[in-house]
Amino acid sequence: MSSTEFNNLLLGNADFLRPYAVTLTKDSESAKDLYQETLFRALSNREKYLAGTNIRAWLYTIMRNIFINNYRRGNRQYRLLDNAVGDYLLSHQPSAIGNFAESDLRVKDVQMAVYNLPVIFKQPFLLYFEGYKYYEIAAILNEPLGTVKSRIHFARKMLKTRITRH
């Protein structure tokens, strides 16, 4: 598919994204930013679009993923709005000092639980924990993608039951 054909297809199917952006963000300005970012990502990744695929579903997925990533990024930032000092954003500083001995014991419990996992679950889980993607783990272990996903899922399940028991 040529660039011109893709651009025409994109522009012909982009208007339905505006209401979806407003639904996600609940704010018209944020919705405009999300809409523009979605179109930018679609244009910059046009080689990933397969001709004949539902372009609306592809664009919905791009928009939803951008929204989710922005939401997660926003949750990681702890900010406090202080109206008394001219609406400045102040970084959140915890007022209490944590008990590191307790957290060290908890980390050892988690490490022991991971160490005691059966090898069939431990290998893919550790690779995933190190940051590898599912398809990369599947290639490394020479296993089907679905098998890798289910083993990581079961490893998480086992760890959850083993760690919460203590």
Side-chain angles (χ1 to χ4, degrees):
M1 174 179 285
S2 72
S3 295
T4 307
E5 290 173 334
F6 179 80
N7 292 345
N8 290 336
L9 183 65
L10 180 67
L11 292 177
N13 288 289
D15 285 337
F16 75 94
L17 288 171
R18 291 181 196 272
Y20 184 55
V22 172
T23 302
L24 288 173
T25 61
K26 311 281 191 257
D27 175 48
S28 64
E29 288 303 313
S30 297
K32 288 177 186 175
D33 291 342
L34 181 60
Y35 176 77
Q36 289 177 354
E37 180 69 20
T38 302
L39 293 182
F40 173 75
R41 294 256 180 101
L43 286 170
S44 63
N45 291 300
R46 74 172 152 245
E47 71 280 352
K48 294 180 182 175
Y49 175 74
L50 301 174
T53 315
N54 184 349
I55 189 144
R56 288 184 176 203
W58 190 67
L59 291 170
Y60 267 134
T61 303
I62 292 170
M63 181 174 278
R64 182 181 43 108
N65 289 342
I66 292 169
F67 175 76
I68 290 170
N69 289 340
N70 289 342
Y71 178 79
R72 287 180 181 158
R73 196 173 297 123
N75 275 348
R76 285 189 211 134
Q77 299 170 352
Y78 295 100
R79 295 181 182 162
L80 177 66
L81 187 59
D82 185 1
N83 292 328
V85 189
D87 294 338
Y88 292 109
L89 289 176
L90 304 174
S91 296
H92 173 69
Q93 296 294 326
S95 58
I97 297 174
N99 183 349
F100 295 114
E102 182 181 340
S103 64
D104 286 344
L105 288 173
R106 195 72 175 147
V107 168
K108 288 179 183 176
D109 288 343
V110 171
Q111 288 173 336
M112 186 56 75
V114 170
Y115 177 77
N116 288 327
L117 282 174
V119 175
I120 198 166
F121 299 115
K122 184 174 21 177
Q123 268 184 321
F125 178 79
L126 287 175
L127 288 170
Y128 182 77
F129 184 73
E130 290 175 11
Y132 288 94
K133 305 282 186 211
Y134 287 123
Y135 68 90
E136 294 171 327
I137 298 168
I140 290 169
L141 298 177
N142 198 22
E143 294 283 348
L145 183 62
T147 302
V148 168
K149 287 181 178 182
S150 68
R151 287 181 181 168
I152 292 170
H153 169 76
F154 286 118
R156 285 180 179 158
K157 237 173 144 176
M158 283 186 233
L159 289 172
K160 188 175 181 181
T161 58
R162 290 177 183 181
I163 292 171
T164 56
R165 284 191 301 205
H166 295 297

